[in-house]
Amino acid sequence: MSARFLTLADLSEQLAISMIQARALVRSGEIPAIQVGGRNQWRIEASVLEEYIEKKYAENARRVALQQAEDSSH
């Protein structure tokens, strides 16, 4: 069974980003998380990360479609 919660280190590894970038995504609220225990002990639900990834894929698909539409109109 998979873990329900991910740490910032897990988030960093899953997205192939630095710990600083992972912390910034959480602290800005772009990736919802909960703070537990001591300072900077963040936990992200695995399902929330999957939703974030799907959202980013959708945003990119819209951006590509818009760019293609602009390119074909020139």
Side-chain angles (χ1 to χ4, degrees):
M1 184 168 124
S2 304
R4 178 176 178 180
F5 291 101
L6 305 170
T7 64
L8 283 179
D10 296 330
L11 177 65
S12 174
E13 183 179 327
Q14 291 283 325
L15 294 178
I17 59 176
S18 72
M19 282 289 289
I20 292 170
Q21 291 169 312
R23 186 172 287 112
L25 287 171
V26 166
R27 293 187 88 174
S28 72
E30 188 169 347
I31 295 181
I34 58 172
Q35 193 170 18
V36 296
R39 191 172 166 196
N40 289 322
Q41 296 296 313
W42 292 97
R43 297 296 179 267
I44 303 97
E45 280 199 71
S47 62
V48 168
L49 176 58
E50 291 304 317
E51 290 169 8
Y52 173 79
I53 292 168
E54 289 299 318
K55 181 178 115 181
K56 289 299 186 182
Y57 274 120
E59 286 175 8
N60 192 56
R62 285 191 297 274
R63 186 173 29 254
V64 167
L66 182 60
Q67 185 62 47
Q68 289 174 344
E70 288 176 2
D71 290 348
S72 66
S73 69
H74 290 114

